[in-house]
Amino acid sequence: MDTRRFVITALLVAVCLLLGLTPVGYIPIPPIEITLLCIPVIIGVMTEGLGVGLVLGFFFGLTSFLQIFIKPTPLSQFLFALSPLKTIILVFVPRMFVPVVAWLVHRAISGESRLRRNAAVGIGAFAGSLTNTVLFLSALYLLFLPEIGELAAAFETTPELFGGVLAGIGAINGLPEAAVAVLLCIPIVAALQKIKKRQHSRIKQN
């Protein structure tokens, strides 16, 4: 890893920690709360590659895990009490898939034109953000299926309606989060790519 990539990775890890361990990463838009935690992961994977994206995805999961102890909620405490192992899988695995999906979509769409590049970033950011929402809620349902009665009661619903409740949460929270990711990632990735090209040009000239 060269010095520039190391610095960018370190900065994005710091952003992940800042967003994940402080209220800065959550934008209250009543009646929902939008999280910004996918954004540094998506930016990292699109500008520095899949390896960096996976590192950032790990730190995204790590901050989610630390939240259980630093800023516990009734739900996080309930899930951890039911099964610490399942809770660890729940907070890490969906986050690790965010950079993979964003990278694959971005790589499949990106081209030479500015329009193609921006479309690749926007669609990749949308897909990556939705991946986090969909996989997290799906894993919540599947991992805790044996305890679905207790889990449904925690959400004040019935086991029969629990899947529909999770789908509603996904739509209400996931789509606005994905939209915010698109709006922020396109200009940030474009700016970082320009800086990267300038640095490569200077290296070639020297």
Side-chain angles (χ1 to χ4, degrees), residues 176-206:
E177 286 175 4
V180 171
V182 172
L183 292 174
L184 292 179
C185 286
I186 290 176
I188 294 173
V189 169
L192 289 175
Q193 292 287 19
K194 284 182 181 179
I195 294 171
K196 189 175 180 179
K197 286 182 179 179
R198 287 174 186 170
Q199 289 179 334
H200 282 308
S201 297
R202 289 173 183 172
I203 292 172
K204 288 180 180 179
Q205 289 174 359
N206 294 334

Side-chain angles (χ1 to χ4, degrees), residues 1-10 47-49 51-52 196:
M1 182 181 289
D2 59 35
T3 302
R4 184 198 60 79
R5 179 172 290 185
F6 178 81
V7 171
I8 293 294
T9 303
T47 58
E48 304 303 325
V52 171
K196 189 175 180 179

Side-chain angles (χ1 to χ4, degrees), residues 13 15 27 33 80 93 108 118 136 143 150 152 160 188:
V13 167
V15 172
I27 302 174
E33 194 173 58
F80 197 74
V93 173
N118 287 341
F136 181 85
L143 286 171
E150 298 171 76
E160 294 76 17
I188 294 173

Side-chain angles (χ1 to χ4, degrees), residues 15-16 18-29 32-42 60 63-64 67 71 95 98 125 128-130 132-133 136 172-182 184-185:
V15 172
C16 281
L18 174 66
L19 295 178
L21 301 179
T22 70
V24 177
Y26 301 91
I27 302 174
I29 305 177
I32 63 174
E33 194 173 58
I34 305 299
T35 180
L36 303 177
L37 288 165
C38 283
I39 293 173
V41 180
I42 294 168
F60 181 6
T63 60
S64 298
Q67 285 272 7
K71 291 168 48 179
R95 281 49 164 153
V98 170
S129 181
L130 275 187
N132 176 60
T133 302
F136 181 85
I172 293 171
N173 279 44
L175 293 176
E177 286 175 4
V180 171
V182 172
L184 292 179
C185 286

Side-chain angles (χ1 to χ4, degrees), residues 135-154:
L135 287 187
F136 181 85
L137 294 175
S138 299
L140 175 63
Y141 184 86
L142 294 173
L143 286 171
F144 290 92
L145 194 57
E147 301 90 358
I148 193 169
E150 298 171 76
L151 197 56

